[in-house]
Amino acid sequence: MPDGERLGRVLETARVNATLAWALSALVVAVAVASVWEGDFAWTAFCVAVAALALVPPVVYRSARVMLPWEVLLVASLPVLGRVLATWWLTTAVTTYLSVAALALVLAVELDVFTAVRMTDGVAGALVVVATMAAAGLWAIVQWTSDVLLGTTLVYVARPITPAVEAASLQALMWDFVAATVCGVLGGAFFVLYVRRRARLAARVPEEGLA
């Protein structure tokens, strides 16, 4: 294939990927604004985290075409779509932690594609699992802070807070951490088996975005 034709295909693929990624990012930003309006600051923080990570590549490389794979952003946006569509199965804890795993996946993709860092498949998968567990812990802190300061029931399952409520809330939180760990393992497998081996990221990212 001539060099000009190959470059054209890369640019076209990058353009399609960037268009889809920007559309998903815009949706996340819109939901973040709506969450601020509704006073739901925990969801605002989550949406801001997704949007901020999504915008790192185009900001750093100053190119709108240098974007993350749209599939990764789609997984990270599932709970956001659930809020827009008011769909129960998209807003369950398991789906939320799949999205947390996707945040870890975003970090791993950015390190693998846009920096000089190179990881074996085992290290890359472990990074996603550990980062997911860490993000789940941070998310639990955000929810607890919201409960304490804003009177929500994100961690505490009911109010007033009694010993029985404390025990039920702790059990629910532990199951959330179990779900986060399982989702982290699934995210690590997705990263290794799909993102690294099948997604052909080099064909989607213009040359200025490749480390």
Side-chain angles (χ1 to χ4, degrees):
M1 181 184 299
D3 290 343
E5 184 178 349
R6 185 187 303 112
L7 178 60
R9 292 186 60 179
V10 168
L11 291 177
E12 182 63 30
T13 304
R15 187 177 297 111
V16 172
N17 180 77
T19 300
L20 294 173
W22 276 109
L24 289 168
S25 300
L27 173 64
V28 172
V29 171
V31 175
V33 173
S35 297
V36 172
W37 182 263
E38 296 172 359
D40 192 344
F41 298 110
W43 267 104
T44 300
F46 181 83
C47 292
V48 168
V50 174
L53 288 173
L55 295 177
V56 167
V59 169
V60 171
Y61 292 98
R62 299 178 181 179
S63 173
R65 290 198 306 268
V66 181
M67 286 293 285
L68 290 162
W70 67 268
E71 302 97 322
V72 174
L73 288 178
L74 177 63
V75 174
S77 303
L78 282 178
V80 176
L81 292 172
R83 281 182 65 81
V84 173
L85 302 175
T87 305
W88 175 83
W89 72 272
L90 283 176
T91 55
T92 59
V94 172
T95 306
T96 299
Y97 284 120
L98 276 175
S99 192
V100 173
L103 291 181
L105 191 62
V106 168
L107 289 173
V109 170
E110 289 181 343
L111 287 174
D112 194 49
V113 177
F114 300 109
T115 74
V117 175
R118 293 294 176 265
M119 298 174 285
T120 64
D121 286 349
V123 171
L127 173 65
V128 174
V129 175
V130 172
T132 300
M133 296 172 68
L138 180 61
W139 181 238
I141 292 173
V142 170
Q143 293 180 98
W144 177 83
T145 303
S146 177
D147 286 356
V148 171
L149 299 180
L150 304 176
T152 57
T153 55
L154 299 173
V155 173
Y156 293 116
V157 296
R159 289 181 180 275
I161 302 173
T162 64
V165 169
E166 287 273 13
S169 301
L170 179 61
Q171 184 178 30
L173 184 60
M174 293 303 101
W175 277 112
D176 280 353
F177 285 140
V178 171
T181 303
V182 172
C183 291
V185 172
L186 294 176
F190 177 76
F191 180 48
V192 172
L193 299 178
Y194 179 77
V195 175
R196 298 197 80 185
R197 298 184 181 179
R198 301 197 59 174
R200 302 182 184 278
L201 300 185
R204 304 189 191 186
V205 180
E207 186 176 348
E208 64 267 25
L210 294 175

